[in-house]
Amino acid sequence: MSPGGTGCSVGLLLTVGWLLLAGLPSARGTNVTAAVPDAGLAHEGPGEGEEEMENNDSETAENDAAPETEEDVSNRNVVKEVEFGMCTVTCGIGIREVLLTNGCPGGESKCIVRVEECRGPIDCGWGKPISESLGSVKLACIHTSPVNRFRYMWKLLRPDQQSIVLENDSAILEVRRENHPLAFECDTLDNNEIVATIKFTVYTSNELQMRRSSRPDTDAILVFVLTIGVVICVFVIFILIFIIVNWEAVKSFWGAKILTPEVQSEQSSVRYKDSTSLDQSPTEMPGEDDALSEWNE
């Protein structure tokens, strides 16, 4: 190899080496710069993963809680309509049913929710004894169960005078009959408030006997009228059943009854025609004789 060629090859090698040395730092810088973002991404990756895991956990919790929330909302959205039944009394204290007309279990149209107390006007007027005899009578205040829940105040009423408060504070009062009628009043109190009042008249023994003796006449008349009405109703029902069972016979019977007047009318018309023909025949005969005599002549 010539010295010139050796110098060229050495110079070429130096040039290539210098280029390699100059390019190596740049390549390292590139790798470093490329690695830095990767490190950043790697540093940010766990945070994002944690955030994603937290988001997933929150979404799962929300999904788990969603049905309960929807049920709660649906239950809150159901409008429960309540209807109150009739009170068992027209005055004083009674009970009534509370009915649910919307939202009943099992799809029922109405269901009883509870039974509650109801109240009417305080004054119940004049009542009747619960039992009576010729010697005594038992009177009862207005109350509901339990009896000891209320307080009772019995009064003996006197005309044009102040009433007398009796010592009896129970719901039942037994009174012996006197020689003159007596009037009693009972006030039912709940928390020192009058919720019902009722009056009673206790007649004497003679008045009670007179009232009982006057009742049988009225009762006898009422029983007689009811008996007659029942007998008439039974008779009408029996006739209707007989007509239904024997409808064909009844139909033929009424048909015969209807046809009989028609046959009689037809027979009478035929008889009338026969009688008129018989009446006209003698008058026509002389005319024929005259015609025959004229012909003979």
Side-chain angles (χ1 to χ4, degrees):
M1 183 178 289
S2 60
T6 303
C8 291
S9 60
V10 172
L12 181 61
L13 291 172
L14 291 174
T15 304
V16 171
W18 183 79
L19 291 173
L20 289 173
L21 292 173
L24 182 61
S26 64
R28 288 179 181 177
T30 305
N31 292 331
V32 171
T33 55
V36 170
D38 294 337
L41 292 173
H43 180 72
E44 293 177 356
E48 291 180 354
E50 291 177 358
E51 291 179 356
E52 290 178 356
M53 291 176 65
E54 291 178 356
N55 293 330
N56 292 330
D57 294 338
S58 62
E59 289 178 358
T60 305
E62 289 178 356
N63 292 329
D64 294 337
E68 297 179 357
T69 306
E70 290 177 358
E71 290 179 0
D72 295 339
V73 171
S74 62
N75 291 330
R76 292 174 183 175
N77 290 334
V78 173
V79 179
K80 294 184 178 181
E81 298 178 359
V82 177
E83 178 181 334
F84 297 96
M86 295 294 293
C87 191
T88 55
V89 295
T90 56
C91 65
I93 312 166
I95 58 175
R96 66 180 177 184
E97 296 178 346
V98 181
L99 305 174
L100 191 65
T101 58
N102 188 11
C104 292
E108 297 179 357
S109 59
K110 289 185 180 181
C111 55
I112 300 175
V113 179
R114 65 181 182 276
V115 177
E116 66 179 13
E117 184 180 286
C118 59
R119 296 183 181 181
I122 296 175
D123 190 2
C124 292
W126 295 88
K128 294 182 179 180
I130 56 175
S131 65
E132 58 182 347
S133 62
L134 293 176
S136 62
V137 59
K138 286 186 178 181
L139 311 176
C141 292
I142 295 175
H143 62 275
T144 58
S145 182
V147 181
N148 57 1
R149 170 191 164 190
F150 304 97
R151 190 166 64 88
Y152 308 98
M153 183 183 296
W154 287 95
K155 300 176 183 178
L156 175 62
L157 303 180
R158 297 183 299 176
D160 300 331
Q161 293 182 9
Q162 187 176 1
S163 59
I164 300 174
V165 179
L166 304 180
E167 295 181 356
N168 191 343
D169 57 353
S170 62
I172 306 297
L173 176 66
E174 185 174 1
V175 181
R176 296 191 62 83
R177 298 186 187 276
E178 301 291 340
N179 296 327
H180 57 279
L182 302 174
F184 294 90
E185 181 182 33
C186 180
D187 296 336
T188 304
L189 294 90
D190 185 14
N191 294 326
N192 294 326
E193 178 186 358
I194 297 177
V195 294
T197 178
I198 188 169
K199 301 180 182 67
F200 299 95
T201 300
V202 179
Y203 298 98
T204 62
S205 300
N206 295 330
E207 290 176 342
L208 181 63
Q209 290 179 352
M210 292 178 61
R211 290 172 64 87
R212 288 181 176 179
S213 62
S214 62
R215 288 177 183 175
D217 297 336
T218 306
D219 295 339
I221 294 172
L222 181 61
V223 170
F224 177 76
V225 172
L226 291 176
T227 304
I228 295 298
V230 170
V231 170
I232 293 173
C233 291
V234 171
F235 180 75
V236 171
I237 292 171
F238 177 77
I239 293 296
L240 291 175
I241 293 173
F242 178 80
I243 291 173
I244 292 170
V245 172
N246 303 284
W247 175 247
E248 296 296 333
V250 173
K251 187 176 180 181
S252 60
F253 175 77
W254 284 107
K257 284 287 186 181
I258 294 171
L259 291 175
T260 300
E262 294 180 356
V263 172
Q264 292 178 353
S265 62
E266 290 179 357
Q267 290 178 357
S268 61
S269 62
V270 169
R271 290 176 183 175
Y272 178 75
K273 290 179 181 179
D274 293 339
S275 61
T276 52
S277 62
L278 291 174
D279 292 338
Q280 291 177 358
S281 59
T283 56
E284 291 176 355
M285 291 299 292
E288 291 179 358
D289 294 338
D290 294 339
L292 290 172
S293 60
E294 290 178 356
W295 174 261
N296 292 325
E297 292 177 357

